[in-house]
Amino acid sequence: MGLIESIKEKAKLQLRTIVLPESEDERVLKAAQQVLDEKTANVVLIGNEETIKADAAACGAFIDGATIIDPKKFDKIDTYIDELVELRKKKGLSREEATEIMTTEPRFFGCMMVRLGDADGLVAGSNSPTADVLKAAIHVIKTAPGINTVSSAFIMETADGKFGDNGLILFADCAVIPEPNAEQLADIACATAATASSVVGLDPRVAMLSFSTKGSAKHPLVDKVQFAVDLLEERNVDFSFDGEMQADAAIVEAIGAKKAPGSEVAGKANVLVFPDLQSGNIGYKLVQRFAGAQAHGPVVQGLAKPVNDLSRGCSVEDIANLVAITATQIK
């Protein structure tokens, strides 16, 4: 069984409620049908009920099992508006402005559903930029306790099973933070370890990557990674980690034993935390192309409750898969 199939099986057992706010996109409507058919989640669509049903019929999507909510007719809309005013009061948001946002911005409305427990997670981005999705999530849902950084991870599934755990290895951050500082790197490590555990079912072994292994080079960029490792030690985290180390020392057992003898992680890492976005993004794309690996994600992490962002070029299958991943992020 492949990774996505195993994630879907796990999602079926939990059957969470996931919001799809971009109901104007026919790919979303078709994905809603797929999710309902596969029974990987309950689905909430946001918008005018008559319009959504007409659009679904026009594109051949059978969505009778979905819940459709029109914010303008929602019986709890005042509660949602009040909550947004409270959340943004330091920014001077008026109730009139909050009302406009809650009744016209489906991503904000959907995130408020998640915040207040009326849904478990949200998937959006097929019809909007990443910045819009993350803005709604950060403003409404906020970050997880003890984490101040929203980041992302790709779950890499390699064909030969040689590295990580039977070919499964997580790369972070590859999509969100261009130049993370040491505190942010520590946050990324914690969040990616949580993703590895909750979504993939791995026992995380986190390598903090650099061009140096255990002091083999001296440079401020190395110092940053070393400081991130120190912060993880201070936090007394509940997963294995080590660094700084080069990529080969992290994933090749013989090299790890030579460059970092005695390390619990060297040569056996299944989570790679890259020192910056350039290296992470380049790294995952090279592995994807050179090794023919499947890159699942990016999975957004660090939020108090799960919200995930789609590429605007996504397929129906991509949306359905990300719904299942989102459902398994929930503890």
Side-chain angles (χ1 to χ4, degrees):
M1 184 182 296
L3 174 65
I4 290 298
E5 288 75 17
S6 66
I7 287 173
K8 287 184 176 181
E9 288 302 313
K10 186 177 178 181
K12 288 177 185 179
L13 298 175
Q14 298 171 332
L15 203 61
R16 306 296 191 179
T17 297
I18 306 299
V19 183
L20 299 175
E22 295 165 330
S23 59
E24 73 281 2
D25 189 331
E26 73 171 46
R27 292 170 298 173
V28 170
L29 298 176
K30 290 178 179 179
Q33 176 182 339
Q34 182 173 334
V35 170
L36 293 168
D37 288 346
E38 293 177 341
K39 296 181 173 59
T40 51
N42 298 314
V43 174
V44 176
L45 297 169
I46 306 301
N48 178 271
E49 184 171 359
E50 290 182 3
T51 301
I52 291 173
K53 287 183 175 179
D55 289 347
C59 71
F62 186 76
I63 58 166
D64 282 5
T67 299
I68 300 174
I69 296 179
D70 185 343
K72 294 178 180 178
K73 299 178 180 178
F74 188 51
D75 58 3
K76 293 172 64 176
I77 192 64
D78 286 338
T79 301
Y80 282 29
I81 293 167
D82 291 342
E83 183 74 5
L84 185 59
V85 170
E86 179 64 23
L87 286 170
R88 304 295 293 167
K89 65 182 179 181
K90 290 183 179 179
K91 299 295 183 180
L93 185 74
S94 69
R95 198 172 197 282
E96 182 180 5
E97 291 169 327
T99 300
E100 177 72 11
I101 291 170
M102 277 293 111
T103 55
T104 65
E105 294 285 346
R107 287 165 294 276
F108 272 83
F109 181 88
C111 284
M112 190 61 77
M113 287 193 73
V114 176
R115 177 181 176 82
L116 295 182
D118 293 324
D120 298 305
L122 178 143
V123 172
S126 67
N127 210 29
S128 52
T130 295
D132 289 353
V133 178
L134 294 185
K135 178 181 178 181
I138 292 168
H139 284 188
V140 176
I141 294 175
K142 309 291 186 181
T143 55
I147 302 291
N148 296 312
T149 306
V150 175
S151 62
S152 71
F154 275 91
I155 305 166
M156 307 300 294
E157 186 175 11
T158 59
D160 61 9
K162 189 175 180 181
F163 302 109
D165 281 19
N166 297 316
L168 294 175
I169 189 163
L170 281 75
F171 287 15
D173 173 18
C174 303
V176 179
I177 304 174
E179 295 184 79
N181 59 31
E183 291 83 357
Q184 289 172 320
L185 282 177
D187 280 350
I188 291 166
C190 292
T192 312
T195 298
S197 176
S198 63
V199 177
V200 192
L202 301 181
D203 181 15
R205 298 182 299 277
V206 179
M208 307 297 286
L209 298 184
S210 176
F211 59 84
S212 166
T213 300
K214 297 293 187 176
S216 64
K218 301 296 182 183
H219 192 276
L221 292 176
V222 176
D223 295 340
K224 179 180 76 168
V225 180
Q226 291 172 338
F227 185 33
V229 173
D230 293 341
L231 290 173
L232 290 173
E233 291 174 350
E234 291 175 12
R235 293 183 187 184
N236 195 28
V237 296
D238 61 355
F239 56 86
S240 299
F241 64 92
D242 205 356
E244 86 292 358
M245 65 177 64
Q246 293 158 287
D248 57 354
I251 62 173
V252 180
E253 198 159 356
I255 297 175
K258 182 177 181 180
K259 291 187 175 183
S263 172
E264 294 181 1
V265 170
K268 301 183 287 290
N270 55 19
V271 173
L272 303 181
V273 175
F274 290 80
D276 57 36
L277 188 60
Q278 287 199 98
S279 57
N281 191 273
I282 292 167
Y284 102 80
K285 288 182 183 293
L286 287 176
V287 172
Q288 184 183 30
R289 301 304 175 183
F290 284 177
Q294 294 184 58
H296 304 287
V299 179
V300 177
Q301 51 190 25
L303 293 165
K305 295 184 178 182
V307 170
N308 275 308
D309 175 53
L310 295 155
S311 163
R312 278 178 282 179
C314 64
S315 66
V316 170
E317 189 74 24
D318 292 335
I319 300 170
N321 290 349
L322 196 55
V323 167
I325 289 171
T326 305
T328 58
Q329 280 183 278
I330 301 156
K331 295 182 179 180

